[in-house]
PDB file of all heavy atoms in Angstrom:
ATOM      1  N   ASP F  62     125.777  53.477  56.713  1.00 97.00           N
ATOM      2  CA  ASP F  62     126.883  54.412  56.502  1.00 97.00           C
ATOM      3  C   ASP F  62     126.374  55.674  55.816  1.00 97.00           C
ATOM      4  O   ASP F  62     126.544  55.865  54.613  1.00 97.00           O
ATOM      5  CB  ASP F  62     127.962  53.706  55.664  1.00 97.00           C
ATOM      6  CG  ASP F  62     129.227  54.560  55.580  1.00 97.00           C
ATOM      7  OD1 ASP F  62     129.291  55.597  56.265  1.00 97.00           O
ATOM      8  OD2 ASP F  62     130.141  54.169  54.832  1.00 97.00           O
ATOM      9  N   ILE F  63     125.757  56.527  56.605  1.00 97.00           N
ATOM     10  CA  ILE F  63     125.252  57.800  56.084  1.00 97.00           C
ATOM     11  C   ILE F  63     125.502  58.875  57.137  1.00 97.00           C
ATOM     12  O   ILE F  63     125.202  58.668  58.307  1.00 97.00           O
ATOM     13  CB  ILE F  63     123.751  57.705  55.694  1.00 97.00           C
ATOM     14  CG1 ILE F  63     123.229  59.088  55.230  1.00 97.00           C
ATOM     15  CG2 ILE F  63     122.893  57.157  56.815  1.00 97.00           C
ATOM     16  CD1 ILE F  63     121.865  59.009  54.553  1.00 97.00           C
ATOM     17  N   THR F  64     126.114  59.972  56.713  1.00 97.00           N
ATOM     18  CA  THR F  64     126.455  61.019  57.680  1.00 97.00           C
ATOM     19  C   THR F  64     126.024  62.387  57.175  1.00 97.00           C
ATOM     20  O   THR F  64     126.046  62.659  55.966  1.00 97.00           O
ATOM     21  CB  THR F  64     127.977  61.083  57.945  1.00 97.00           C
ATOM     22  OG1 THR F  64     128.648  61.159  56.676  1.00 97.00           O
ATOM     23  CG2 THR F  64     128.487  59.877  58.700  1.00 97.00           C
ATOM     24  N   ILE F  65     125.630  63.236  58.131  1.00 97.00           N
ATOM     25  CA  ILE F  65     125.302  64.630  57.825  1.00 97.00           C
ATOM     26  C   ILE F  65     126.359  65.500  58.483  1.00 97.00           C
ATOM     27  O   ILE F  65     126.673  65.319  59.655  1.00 97.00           O
ATOM     28  CB  ILE F  65     123.918  65.021  58.385  1.00 97.00           C
ATOM     29  CG1 ILE F  65     122.819  64.163  57.764  1.00 97.00           C
ATOM     30  CG2 ILE F  65     123.648  66.514  58.151  1.00 97.00           C
ATOM     31  CD1 ILE F  65     121.455  64.358  58.410  1.00 97.00           C
ATOM     32  N   GLY F  66     126.932  66.409  57.714  1.00 96.00           N
ATOM     33  CA  GLY F  66     127.837  67.404  58.291  1.00 96.00           C
ATOM     34  C   GLY F  66     127.091  68.721  58.393  1.00 96.00           C
ATOM     35  O   GLY F  66     126.521  69.182  57.408  1.00 96.00           O
ATOM     36  N   ALA F  67     127.048  69.278  59.596  1.00 96.00           N
ATOM     37  CA  ALA F  67     126.345  70.550  59.796  1.00 96.00           C
ATOM     38  C   ALA F  67     126.888  71.195  61.055  1.00 96.00           C
ATOM     39  O   ALA F  67     127.381  70.506  61.930  1.00 96.00           O
ATOM     40  CB  ALA F  67     124.846  70.318  59.946  1.00 96.00           C
ATOM     41  N   PRO F  68     126.819  72.522  61.162  1.00 96.00           N
ATOM     42  CA  PRO F  68     127.229  73.157  62.425  1.00 96.00           C
ATOM     43  C   PRO F  68     126.265  72.754  63.532  1.00 96.00           C
ATOM     44  O   PRO F  68     125.079  72.540  63.268  1.00 96.00           O
ATOM     45  CB  PRO F  68     127.125  74.651  62.126  1.00 96.00           C
ATOM     46  CG  PRO F  68     126.167  74.761  60.999  1.00 96.00           C
ATOM     47  CD  PRO F  68     126.296  73.499  60.196  1.00 96.00           C
ATOM     48  N   GLU F  69     126.774  72.653  64.759  1.00 95.00           N
ATOM     49  CA  GLU F  69     125.889  72.341  65.881  1.00 95.00           C
ATOM     50  C   GLU F  69     124.900  73.489  66.085  1.00 95.00           C
ATOM     51  O   GLU F  69     123.725  73.276  66.334  1.00 95.00           O
ATOM     52  CB  GLU F  69     126.699  72.137  67.169  1.00 95.00           C
ATOM     53  CG  GLU F  69     127.405  70.799  67.273  1.00 95.00           C
ATOM     54  CD  GLU F  69     128.687  70.712  66.459  1.00 95.00           C
ATOM     55  OE1 GLU F  69     129.158  71.756  65.959  1.00 95.00           O
ATOM     56  OE2 GLU F  69     129.218  69.597  66.318  1.00 95.00           O
ATOM     57  N   ILE F  70     125.427  74.718  66.004  1.00 95.00           N
ATOM     58  CA  ILE F  70     124.589  75.911  66.114  1.00 95.00           C
ATOM     59  C   ILE F  70     124.797  76.730  64.841  1.00 95.00           C
ATOM     60  O   ILE F  70     125.936  76.986  64.447  1.00 95.00           O
ATOM     61  CB  ILE F  70     124.963  76.758  67.347  1.00 95.00           C
ATOM     62  CG1 ILE F  70     124.938  75.900  68.629  1.00 95.00           C
ATOM     63  CG2 ILE F  70     124.032  77.956  67.483  1.00 95.00           C
ATOM     64  CD1 ILE F  70     125.349  76.628  69.899  1.00 95.00           C
ATOM     65  N   ALA F  71     123.689  77.104  64.179  1.00 95.00           N
ATOM     66  CA  ALA F  71     123.800  77.857  62.930  1.00 95.00           C
ATOM     67  C   ALA F  71     124.338  79.259  63.211  1.00 95.00           C
ATOM     68  O   ALA F  71     123.887  79.920  64.133  1.00 95.00           O
ATOM     69  CB  ALA F  71     122.437  77.955  62.259  1.00 95.00           C
ATOM     70  N   GLU F  72     125.322  79.684  62.405  1.00 94.00           N
ATOM     71  CA  GLU F  72     125.834  81.048  62.546  1.00 94.00           C
ATOM     72  C   GLU F  72     124.859  82.041  61.943  1.00 94.00           C
ATOM     73  O   GLU F  72     124.759  83.172  62.375  1.00 94.00           O
ATOM     74  CB  GLU F  72     127.208  81.163  61.873  1.00 94.00           C
ATOM     75  CG  GLU F  72     128.263  80.362  62.615  1.00 94.00           C
ATOM     76  CD  GLU F  72     129.633  80.397  61.958  1.00 94.00           C
ATOM     77  OE1 GLU F  72     129.739  80.840  60.800  1.00 94.00           O
ATOM     78  OE2 GLU F  72     130.596  79.973  62.618  1.00 94.00           O
ATOM     79  N   ASN F  73     124.152  81.596  60.904  1.00 91.00           N
ATOM     80  CA  ASN F  73     123.143  82.413  60.244  1.00 91.00           C
ATOM     81  C   ASN F  73     122.069  81.452  59.745  1.00 91.00           C
ATOM     82  O   ASN F  73     122.306  80.679  58.822  1.00 91.00           O
ATOM     83  CB  ASN F  73     123.797  83.180  59.088  1.00 91.00           C
ATOM     84  CG  ASN F  73     122.797  83.974  58.279  1.00 91.00           C
ATOM     85  OD1 ASN F  73     121.582  83.945  58.556  1.00 91.00           O
ATOM     86  ND2 ASN F  73     123.286  84.679  57.281  1.00 91.00           N
ATOM     87  N   GLY F  74     120.897  81.502  60.378  1.00 92.00           N
ATOM     88  CA  GLY F  74     119.815  80.570  60.042  1.00 92.00           C
ATOM     89  C   GLY F  74     119.372  80.673  58.595  1.00 92.00           C
ATOM     90  O   GLY F  74     118.757  79.760  58.054  1.00 92.00           O
ATOM     91  N   ASN F  75     119.687  81.778  57.931  1.00 92.00           N
ATOM     92  CA  ASN F  75     119.257  81.970  56.550  1.00 92.00           C
ATOM     93  C   ASN F  75     120.109  81.203  55.552  1.00 92.00           C
ATOM     94  O   ASN F  75     119.703  80.998  54.419  1.00 92.00           O
ATOM     95  CB  ASN F  75     119.292  83.459  56.188  1.00 92.00           C
ATOM     96  CG  ASN F  75     118.185  84.215  56.892  1.00 92.00           C
ATOM     97  OD1 ASN F  75     117.090  83.684  57.062  1.00 92.00           O
ATOM     98  ND2 ASN F  75     118.489  85.424  57.317  1.00 92.00           N
ATOM     99  N   THR F  76     121.313  80.803  55.962  1.00 93.00           N
ATOM    100  CA  THR F  76     122.173  80.067  55.046  1.00 93.00           C
ATOM    101  C   THR F  76     123.084  79.138  55.839  1.00 93.00           C
ATOM    102  O   THR F  76     124.163  79.525  56.258  1.00 93.00           O
ATOM    103  CB  THR F  76     122.941  81.017  54.089  1.00 93.00           C
ATOM    104  OG1 THR F  76     123.981  80.271  53.461  1.00 93.00           O
ATOM    105  CG2 THR F  76     123.545  82.205  54.789  1.00 93.00           C
TER     106      THR F  76
END
Side-chain angles (χ1 to χ4, degrees):
Chain F
D62 188 7
I63 177 168
T64 51
I65 299 172
E69 283 78 11
I70 306 178
E72 292 178 347
N73 176 359
N75 289 324
T76 166

